[in-house]
Amino acid sequence: MDELGAALEAAGGLAAGPESAARLRTLLADELRRSARELALKRSGYGAPVTVAVAPADAGLRAVAPVPAELRADPDAVGERAWLLVAALVGALVEAGAGRELRAGALGGDLVLEVAGEPADADLVPLAFDGQVAGVDRMRARALAVPAFVLADASDLRPPIGAAHPLVVAATVAALGGRPADAESLAAHEDAVLAEVEARGGNGDDGAVPLPHDDPVPARRVARRILQRLNGMGKWGGYHTEFAHLARGFAGNDRALAEAVGEALLQAGLLGEKPNVGQRHVFLNPRRAADIHALIERGEPPGDLTLP
């Protein structure tokens, strides 16, 4: 039985009065806990859909997802399917809202997201979410619009940490008209996203050492450019890309070198690998973030990296 959905309808949906606040908050908390358990299964939401909730906020739209609030600071805080749920929710908020500037916080340990927009447009987010989440493998999910008071206790709303945080990348993709939970849409908007991230200072260059594309050592130059590009696209943890894409942007002999460097980065554990049907997908290993940034920014390879 869908207790939350039934209670929302009985209370009047977005127009529900404050007398229903305690019950709706309790039912939402129960539904978020159930949805978090669903996300850990091989197939999520097939008995009852995974639920996210959205509400009007002061001069904006606010939503909560059944994933740890630590995602605001740590891209490794969630697995792939949980990340795709969040990416779809970011896409829906940006699509229905009026801006791409995203803030993230917490509600009882769950991740809260907020964007600027017209509060009256909260009822548009569930429809946008349906389109954004469509096609996510082995997951069925829904968004419910709830009264503002249900999410009013959200706290610590701040921008995600880092100009290239996956949450920022997802919002940028959505603002460009893309679908951040869809791999093909991400690839189609990659160059535009990278340009925006670099303009915001998220490319890891501080001018103290040669920029990655100016590095005089060929293999190290290629390694730094690969890592820089993946970082700029927020390819940490749950956000991954095809191994074959590592050689994009390289020409001639550098293309073959890029493939060899990619294997070396995998061997050293700077990249992680996710087997996929007929493809190899890779991502930046969050546990090696310090080594990755040292190589991008200062050209300092870790001791366990052997470049060709």
Side-chain angles (χ1 to χ4, degrees):
M1 177 180 177
D2 181 11
E3 288 190 75
L4 176 58
L8 267 173
E9 184 176 358
L14 282 170
E19 67 278 2
S20 64
R23 176 164 172 75
L24 291 178
R25 286 171 178 162
T26 298
L27 289 175
L28 176 60
D30 291 344
E31 182 65 9
L32 291 172
R33 282 193 291 270
R34 181 198 66 81
S35 293
R37 293 192 296 270
E38 283 287 320
L39 288 172
L41 302 177
K42 291 184 177 180
R43 290 174 173 264
S44 304
Y46 278 65
V50 173
T51 297
V52 301
V54 60
D58 293 338
L61 302 171
R62 180 177 293 176
V64 62
V67 305
E70 289 78 11
L71 178 61
R72 185 184 69 84
D74 180 12
D76 198 33
V78 299
E80 180 185 8
R81 195 172 306 151
W83 164 249
L84 293 176
L85 177 77
V86 172
L89 182 56
V90 171
L93 287 170
V94 173
E95 182 180 338
R100 71 180 68 183
E101 299 305 320
L102 187 74
R103 296 196 301 161
L107 179 67
D110 291 310
L111 179 72
V112 171
L113 301 169
E114 186 173 294
V115 298
E118 180 60 47
D121 288 339
D123 59 350
L124 300 179
V125 178
L127 182 60
F129 180 77
D130 288 345
Q132 291 283 341
V133 82
V136 174
D137 193 30
R138 298 190 301 276
M139 182 172 69
R140 296 175 180 171
R142 66 173 179 174
L144 293 178
V146 300
F149 54 72
V150 176
L151 304 186
D153 290 340
S155 61
D156 198 27
L157 286 158
R158 292 181 288 167
I161 296 176
H165 190 290
L167 286 170
V168 177
V169 172
T172 304
V173 171
L176 292 168
R179 296 171 56 207
D182 179 77
E184 291 186 4
S185 184
L186 279 171
H189 292 87
E190 182 172 323
D191 290 339
V193 171
L194 280 170
E196 293 206 19
V197 169
E198 291 179 2
R200 291 194 294 263
N203 60 1
D205 297 331
D206 61 9
V209 296
L211 300 178
H213 60 269
D214 292 330
D215 194 308
V217 180
R220 191 174 64 197
R221 179 181 69 245
V222 169
R224 293 176 70 190
R225 287 181 61 193
I226 287 173
L227 295 177
Q228 182 187 44
R229 191 173 188 89
L230 292 176
N231 178 56
M233 283 299 296
K235 301 292 189 179
W236 294 90
Y239 242 165
H240 45 80
T241 191
E242 289 184 43
F243 180 85
H245 288 174
L246 298 184
R248 287 183 60 184
F250 295 99
N253 293 334
D254 275 355
R255 192 168 185 85
L257 180 59
E259 294 177 358
V261 167
E263 296 289 358
L265 293 170
L266 276 167
Q267 184 68 30
L270 298 185
L271 298 183
E273 184 169 5
K274 179 188 182 301
N276 207 350
V277 179
Q279 298 172 336
R280 300 172 69 194
H281 281 228
V282 296
F283 55 89
L284 295 168
N285 183 354
R287 293 177 177 82
R288 300 294 300 274
D291 288 331
I292 289 168
H293 286 295
L295 183 50
I296 294 172
E297 297 163 18
R298 301 189 297 277
E300 299 174 359
D304 57 355
L305 175 62
T306 302
L307 292 170

